[in-house]
């Protein structure tokens, strides 16, 4: 049976720091093994560098891991600052996880993907799953490869690899890890602190987004979906709503009337410009009942409420 021993890689990141408590509450702490390459002040965490093949093998074998949520990655902006590291972690790290999963008969490997797989030639609105995926970032290139590699391991070896293309994720518990959509979280945090914000994207850079509770529910639903219902495997589009920095600024002014934003686009503007404005998530809805609960207004309201309580 799946979910007896669950390894989470990159568990100290934005998603992992919320997914680990969720998995622990569902399956029990003793069945969840959080791991990361960075030091985390939590005794449950194991040190694991996914680019180290032997350590990956050892940890999976020794703990009889049967399920993996593979979250270790280098995101879009950090990737542009260190393309070699992005390649090593996002491609070689995944390759190690897939090979070790095969060797150790792991039942399920979840590999989140991203809107970063799209590029400037992709249509902008309501982008379907099957479309032009010619990204211009190293992040996007490694993630296209990851989707394809995951699908190859499924087709060729029968490994149960599943993945979903997340949009920008909004959350308040842990800081985001070096992405282009991070601006939105930063802007909300600044507004709540009573400070103004200098935005690294232009006012009109529309991007698809989702609130963390919906992102967690989505990955759990896909992980638990019946195999026979899945026509797609590693590339499900999922998103909830889209907005621009200017729209977020004006929403925040409803709560903080004196809040202002200066716009000083940097290298991340090119990344944002290459990504779509909205996604078609209908396959996720049809094949595993993806249905996000939070819209834009509810997300901002909930973020503010929780950030104020900190
Ligand atoms: P994050 O950057 O917050 O966390 C990634 C974690 O991976 C970090 O804790 C980092 O220390 C760890 N890591 C880096 N190199 C490692 C290595 N060699 N070995 C082990 N761990 C290593 O990222 P996240 O937002 O939690 O993203 C998780 C997954 O979701 C990634 O695959 C990412 O592409 C995808 N995703 C995230 C978003 C988002 O907005 N957060 C959107 C789309 C897709
Ligand atoms: C990033 O901006 O790099 C991530 C993503 C959309 O993959 N948040």
């Amino acid at each position: 049976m799946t979910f007896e021993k669950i390894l989470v890689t990159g568990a100290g990141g934005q998603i992992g720091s919320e997914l680990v408590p969720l998995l622990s509450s569902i399956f029990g702490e003793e069945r969840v093994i959080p791991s990361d390459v960075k030091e985390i002040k939590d005794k449950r965490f194991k040190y694991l560098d996914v680019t180290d093949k032997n350590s990956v093998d050892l940890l999976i074998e020794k703990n009889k891991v049967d399920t993996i949520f593979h979250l270790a990655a280098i995101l879009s902006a950090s990737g542009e600052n260190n393309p070699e590291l992005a390649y090593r972690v996002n491609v070689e790290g995944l390759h190690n996880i897939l090979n070790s999963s095969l060797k150790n008969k792991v039942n399920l490997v979840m590999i989140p993907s991203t809107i970063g797989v799209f590029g400037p030639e992709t249509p902008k609105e309501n982008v379907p799953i099957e479309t032009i995926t010619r990204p211009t970032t190293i992040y996007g290139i490694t993630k296209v490869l990851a989707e394809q590699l995951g699908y190859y391991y499924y087709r060729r070896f029968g490994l149960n690899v599943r993945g979903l293309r997340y949009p920008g994720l909004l959350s308040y518990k842990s800081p985001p890890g070096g992405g282009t959509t991070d601006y939105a979280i930063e802007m909300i945090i600044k507004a709540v602190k009573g400070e103004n914000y200098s935005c690294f994207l232009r006012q009109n850079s529309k991007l698809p987004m989702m609130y963390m509770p919906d992102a967690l529910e989505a990955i759990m639903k896909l992980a638990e979906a019946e195999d026979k219902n899945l026509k797609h495997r590693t590339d499900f589009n999922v998103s909830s709503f889209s907005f621009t920095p200017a729209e977020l600024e004006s929403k925040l002014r409803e709560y903080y009337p004196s809040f202002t934003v200066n716009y000083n686009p940097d290298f991340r503007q090119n990344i944002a410009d290459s990504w779509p404005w909205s996604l078609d998530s209908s396959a996720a809805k049809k094949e595993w009942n993806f249905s996000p609960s939070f819209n834009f207004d509810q997300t901002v309201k909930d973020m503010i409420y929780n950030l104020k309580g900190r």
Side-chain angles (χ1 to χ4, degrees), residues 57-129:
D57 266 350
L58 199 68
L59 201 141
I60 292 178
E61 189 187 337
K62 202 170 130 207
N63 292 282
K64 297 190 171 53
V65 168
D66 66 2
T67 306
I68 301 178
F69 286 80
H70 177 50
L71 307 181
I74 304 297
L75 272 62
S76 59
S78 306
E80 288 315 294
N81 289 328
N82 195 343
E84 198 191 317
L85 179 68
Y87 187 88
R88 254 190 289 129
V89 176
N90 298 359
V91 177
E92 291 168 15
L94 172 67
H95 199 207
N96 290 339
I97 291 287
L98 294 175
N99 282 333
S100 191
S101 296
L102 260 190
K103 199 162 122 192
N104 292 291
K105 299 190 172 33
V106 169
N107 288 330
L108 173 66
V109 186
M110 297 301 296
I111 53 167
S113 188
T114 166
I115 53 166
V117 297
F118 302 119
E121 294 150 80
T122 308
K124 285 290 182 195
E125 287 283 16
N126 207 28
V127 174
I129 293 179

Side-chain angles (χ1 to χ4, degrees), residues 14 75-77 113-116 139 166-169 178-182 275:
Q14 189 192 358
L75 272 62
S76 59
S113 188
T114 166
I115 53 166
Y139 177 56
Y166 279 133
L169 299 182
T180 302
T181 57
D182 297 8
W275 289 353

